Amino acid sequence: MTRVPGQHVSPPAGTADARAAAATGADHDVRALFGHSTAVFASLAGPAHMLENANEAFFTAIGGAERTRTGLPLGRLMPELVEQGFIGLLDRVYRTGALYSGREARVVLGVGPTAREAFFDFTYEPRLDAGGNVMGVRVIGVETTQIKQAQRLTAEHRALLEQIARQAPLPDVLDGMARAIEELAPEEIMVSVLLADADGQHLHHGAAPSLPAFYNQAIDGIATGEGVGSCGTAAHRRTPVIVTDIATDPFWDDFRDLADKAGVAACWSTPILARDGSLLGTFAMYHRVPRAPQDADLALARVFAGTAALAIERQQAQQAQQAAEAREKAARDDLAFLLNASTTLSSDLDATHTFQRLATSCVPRLAPLCAIDVVENGRVRRVATAAPTEEERDLLASHIPVYDAEDDAVARVLASGTSEIARRTPTGPGPWHDLGITGYVCVPLTDRDSVIGTMTLLSAGAHTFDGHTVALAEELASRAALATRNARQYTHRAALARDLQAGLLLADLPQVPGAEVATYYHPAGEGLDIGGDFYDVFPLEDGRWGFLLGDVCGRGAIAATTTALVRHTARAVAPLLPDPRAVVDAINRALLNRPRSHGTGFVTLVYGQLTPTGHGLDVELVRAGHTLPLLLDTAHSVHLIDAFGALLGIGPRTHLTPHRLHLHPGESLVLYTDGTTEARRHDGELFGEERLTDAVAGAPNRPTAQTVIDTINEAVHVFTGSQDIDDDQAILVLTATEAP
């Protein structure tokens, strides 16, 4: 290897010395690349343009020592100028005596392989004798080749930086960089960029647009190490390695035939290092003839090695960000899957449905097939299956594991309480061949340290299980077991609440002559507690009927006792008392006399009596602190019935004001609890009395009692959307009909 003077290892990044060294090195590279502008001068005599004298810069510019001669016509000294027209320009200045100037004129200096392209700003100025006659031409110029090259280099470098800033693909950036350098170089070179793998032990193809494809393939994946060509050695040493003659350099012993076949004779390689000093790759410049680098060559290599480092680090940062985003997305997807599955599992709190939803959630997210088995009365029962086709689902459902079989995976997991994973078909009999099973994961379903069943995931075809899938399956099984326990507890509580609530509400609505009766009841809290809303319709003497709708403060068993007290008191005293006000007064006394253990909450109530007539219903009612009843007439106008009355169960005086009205056929009396008007949507706004009035008024023409209720419920549902109700809802509608 030929060592190049001036190569130093950079001090660690981040120190003051490192920053100073980097700034000094960058300044040196700029000077090496762009050089210094130098003025050239030559004095020509006679029409043949005889070179009388010239400064050193002139001779340096036109070709060096072999052309450092005077006393020759310029056309003989530099014959290449004739064809390029510059001698003709001298003839014109000599003939006319007119000065001529040119800017950034391109000129090829020299002939053959030593020729070079140059650019000049120049002036041809006539030389005059004492009589004013032209005696020759004076040439004054400044070579701008370096400036021109600097402009081209800067433009190419800016384009590369813009590509990097736009996050263009790394292969495009590296390929563009290689081509730009090859075009900028004054002689033919071939650029190659190799990229280091994560551990810096091997180099892989990055870009080499001018090297033969077979060469790029041959060196793709070469190891980094001492004596492994120019690039492998440079990557190992972390310093530039200059091989001026591949044919004789020992670093190329293993690659000499390959290089000869590719037609390369010299290779200068510069390591591409990250800011922390780690290896990113190598930047190499190949030549077809043995050649040693000049300062400008080394500076060009350092500049573009730095640019390549920027591009590679940008891609690595982007890949790291993408990998982090992918991991974050995977974590979010897993969390979303578990949350959605948990929501699905607990959607209706039915144990049987929960198991089926568990199986459905697993397919195909976790596995192609899934089976759920539970232990009931000492036997294993397959309660749910999921598969891509109905035929496969039926086939899987037909298989029932044996609880105490030693060769059955389900039995083993039920006994051990630990998951079992295998990349083979389950042991024991089953439809494994018909289903194409290739592996399984069997996870226990545990409730309070007791295994109640198993979830078996089955793989088929190319599908395999990994640790991530197993972890998700175990987490899902844990949530499913909890959801199942909650479902069973809910089913038990709901059954109790339903049975008790049924005893507090009308089992069947009575047939009231001359009237349609419709009711609606919806408890809050999924019906687990006894609601505080109630209604009743019951017969009295002389063809009259009593009706009531009310709301007890509170919920649960205490509210249930109060509800029963109000309803039974009303039914007991109504036949004995003359009017609704007396009945409600009696209810109030009963509330005041109840034991404290039966509750102390107040009650709101509307109680009334109706009498069918030949042309509608006569109604008398009282309102004790309850929401205002509504009257829907045949013109679809809604009227508020405002009858004053105090809350019940608070004090001995109720201050009730009876209200009498007549319902013509087709008119409806609407009673409701505040659970309807206080239904909320997502922003907290209440449905309110105005929307309720509008909904009632918007009922179809001459609606039935049930139609009025349906219209109200639809309006509430549209308003609240999926928002759960906060309070019980009860509605009672009495609609007068034509006389029978």
Side-chain angles (χ1 to χ4, degrees):
M1 182 189 81
T2 302
R3 296 184 179 273
V4 178
Q7 299 298 312
H8 303 285
V9 178
S10 299
T15 66
D17 291 343
R19 290 192 293 270
T24 302
D27 184 61
H28 174 77
D29 290 344
V30 170
R31 289 197 302 271
L33 284 171
F34 302 154
H36 301 277
S37 295
T38 305
V40 298
F41 170 83
S43 181
L44 308 176
H49 312 302
M50 188 74 66
L51 180 61
E52 290 185 333
N53 56 70
N55 66 352
E56 183 179 352
F58 177 84
F59 290 115
T60 300
I62 67 173
E66 66 275 10
R67 289 191 172 187
T68 308
R69 301 169 62 186
T70 58
L72 291 176
L74 188 61
R76 286 179 58 190
L77 184 64
M78 301 176 66
E80 68 270 19
L81 297 183
V82 177
E83 293 184 0
Q84 298 180 59
F86 292 100
I87 300 300
L89 289 176
L90 290 170
D91 292 340
R92 190 175 74 179
V93 173
Y94 185 84
R95 184 175 63 254
T96 63
L99 179 145
Y100 179 85
S101 295
R103 288 187 58 79
E104 295 187 357
R106 178 181 178 275
V107 57
V108 177
L109 299 174
V111 293
T114 61
R116 74 179 183 93
E117 180 186 57
F119 295 86
F120 286 88
D121 289 346
F122 69 92
T123 298
Y124 290 169
E125 179 182 270
R127 295 172 54 201
L128 304 179
D129 59 14
N133 300 311
V134 178
M135 55 179 291
V137 178
R138 183 180 296 109
V139 178
I140 304 172
V142 176
E143 184 173 356
T144 60
T145 304
Q146 293 87 352
I147 297 175
K148 195 73 174 178
Q149 290 175 339
Q151 291 172 342
R152 293 170 58 190
L153 177 64
T154 302
E156 295 291 352
H157 198 248
R158 182 185 298 113
L160 290 173
L161 293 177
E162 289 176 353
Q163 278 189 301
I164 296 172
R166 291 196 307 269
Q167 296 187 344
L170 181 62
D172 293 350
V173 175
L174 297 180
D175 186 80
M177 182 183 73
R179 294 180 186 277
I181 297 170
E182 291 172 352
E183 292 176 3
L184 288 172
E187 66 284 327
E188 181 185 9
I189 65 169
M190 291 159 286
V191 172
S192 169
V193 178
L194 297 178
L195 302 176
D197 55 18
D199 59 5
Q201 298 301 308
H202 293 84
L203 298 172
H204 301 276
H205 175 71
S210 299
L211 286 171
F214 74 84
Y215 183 85
N216 292 330
Q217 293 173 359
I219 66 172
D220 187 21
I222 64 169
T224 61
E226 187 70 17
V228 186
S230 300
C231 295
T233 307
H236 174 69
R237 293 181 175 182
R238 303 294 203 272
T239 58
V241 171
I242 309 301
V243 172
T244 60
D245 189 354
I246 290 176
T248 60
D249 196 291
F251 288 173
W252 282 80
D253 288 347
D254 295 335
F255 305 97
R256 190 166 290 115
D257 292 341
L258 179 66
D260 183 64
K261 183 179 177 182
V264 294
C267 179
W268 316 331
S269 183
T270 301
I272 302 173
L273 302 178
R275 284 170 291 181
D276 61 0
S278 60
L279 180 68
L280 300 175
T282 60
F283 172 86
M285 302 170 73
Y286 288 85
H287 299 266
R288 296 200 180 275
V289 296
R291 187 174 181 277
Q294 303 298 316
D295 286 346
D297 298 319
L298 299 175
L300 188 68
R302 285 192 294 269
V303 168
F304 280 96
T307 305
L310 181 63
I312 297 170
E313 285 193 287
R314 189 271 306 164
Q315 187 204 43
Q316 290 181 346
Q318 184 180 10
Q319 290 176 338
Q321 180 181 0
Q322 291 173 345
E325 291 174 350
R327 290 192 298 271
E328 182 182 357
K329 182 180 182 301
R332 289 199 307 268
D333 290 344
D334 290 345
L335 180 59
F337 167 70
L338 291 174
L339 290 176
N340 290 336
S342 299
T343 302
T344 301
L345 292 174
S346 59
S347 59
D348 66 357
L349 294 176
D350 180 273
T352 302
H353 293 168
T354 297
F355 286 127
Q356 184 56 56
R357 288 188 172 90
L358 172 61
T360 303
S361 297
C362 293
V363 176
R365 178 66 167 79
L366 299 182
L369 304 101
C370 179
I372 308 298
D373 301 289
V374 298
V375 179
E376 293 181 352
N377 300 322
R379 300 177 63 86
V380 177
R381 186 166 71 92
R382 180 148 291 177
V383 295
T385 56
T389 67
E390 185 175 355
E391 180 182 359
E392 292 173 314
R393 187 166 58 250
D394 293 341
L395 190 60
L396 187 59
S398 66
H399 169 249
I400 305 298
V402 180
Y403 189 10
D404 55 356
E406 294 183 358
D407 62 345
D408 192 278
V410 171
R412 290 194 297 270
V413 172
L414 288 172
S416 66
T418 58
S419 300
E420 183 172 307
I421 305 99
R423 292 187 176 180
R424 55 173 173 77
T425 58
T427 56
W432 317 130
H433 177 74
D434 295 337
L435 292 172
I437 303 304
T438 57
Y440 67 91
V441 173
C442 189
V443 179
L445 300 172
T446 306
D447 180 14
R448 295 178 180 175
D449 299 327
S450 176
V451 181
I452 62 172
T454 63
M455 177 179 73
T456 305
L457 305 177
L458 299 163
S459 62
H463 179 273
T464 58
F465 294 110
D466 55 19
H468 176 253
T469 302
V470 174
L472 276 180
E474 291 178 336
E475 176 63 24
L476 183 60
S478 175
R479 297 184 180 210
L482 179 61
T484 302
R485 183 177 69 188
N486 292 339
R488 288 173 172 173
Q489 291 177 343
Y490 168 80
T491 300
H492 178 68
R493 289 183 59 188
L496 292 177
R498 183 172 58 250
D499 293 342
L500 183 54
Q501 191 79 62
L504 300 176
L505 299 174
L506 291 175
D508 297 301
L509 293 176
Q511 298 293 324
V512 179
E516 289 180 353
V517 181
T519 60
Y520 171 77
Y521 179 78
H522 181 64
E526 299 294 335
L528 293 178
D529 290 329
I530 308 304
D533 292 3
F534 60 93
Y535 57 80
D536 201 357
V537 179
F538 53 89
L540 299 173
E541 297 177 352
D542 303 327
R544 293 176 301 128
W545 288 79
F547 63 89
L548 59 86
L549 182 140
D551 187 358
V552 174
C553 177
R555 298 180 57 78
I558 298 299
T561 61
T562 302
T563 297
L565 176 63
V566 173
R567 288 187 61 224
H568 294 318
T569 299
R571 281 179 172 257
V573 303
L576 307 176
L577 297 177
D579 54 42
R581 180 169 60 182
V583 173
V584 175
D585 282 336
I587 293 173
N588 187 55
R589 288 194 296 273
L591 290 172
L592 295 176
N593 292 330
R594 62 186 157 167
R596 294 186 64 84
S597 61
H598 289 186
T600 59
F602 61 83
V603 175
T604 67
L605 181 69
V606 174
Y607 172 75
Q609 297 175 356
L610 62 85
T611 304
T613 67
H615 54 283
L617 300 173
D618 286 334
V619 178
E620 181 180 3
L621 60 81
V622 292
R623 182 178 71 90
H626 200 72
T627 54
L628 298 178
L630 303 178
L631 171 62
L632 174 64
D633 62 22
T634 55
H636 272 256
S637 296
V638 178
H639 308 277
L640 297 176
I641 299 176
D642 188 4
F644 180 79
L647 298 171
L648 303 181
I650 302 299
R653 300 181 63 83
T654 57
H655 304 288
L656 300 171
T657 302
H659 186 92
R660 295 178 178 83
L661 66 148
H662 181 78
L663 294 180
H664 297 281
E667 294 184 334
S668 298
L669 178 64
V670 181
L671 310 180
Y672 58 92
T673 59
D674 57 8
T676 298
T677 54
E678 294 180 1
R680 300 175 184 270
R681 64 183 181 190
H682 62 88
D683 59 1
E685 185 175 356
L686 301 180
F687 183 68
E689 295 180 355
E690 184 177 349
R691 289 188 178 90
L692 175 62
T693 301
D694 292 341
V696 173
N701 191 34
R702 297 186 69 83
T704 64
Q706 185 60 48
T707 302
V708 174
I709 289 179
D710 293 342
T711 302
I712 294 172
N713 288 336
E714 176 65 20
V716 173
H717 177 73
V718 171
F719 175 77
T720 59
S722 59
Q723 190 79 7
D724 293 334
I725 63 171
D726 299 325
D727 197 3
D728 305 324
Q729 295 176 344
I731 304 175
L732 171 64
V733 177
L734 304 171
T735 301
T737 61
E738 298 289 347

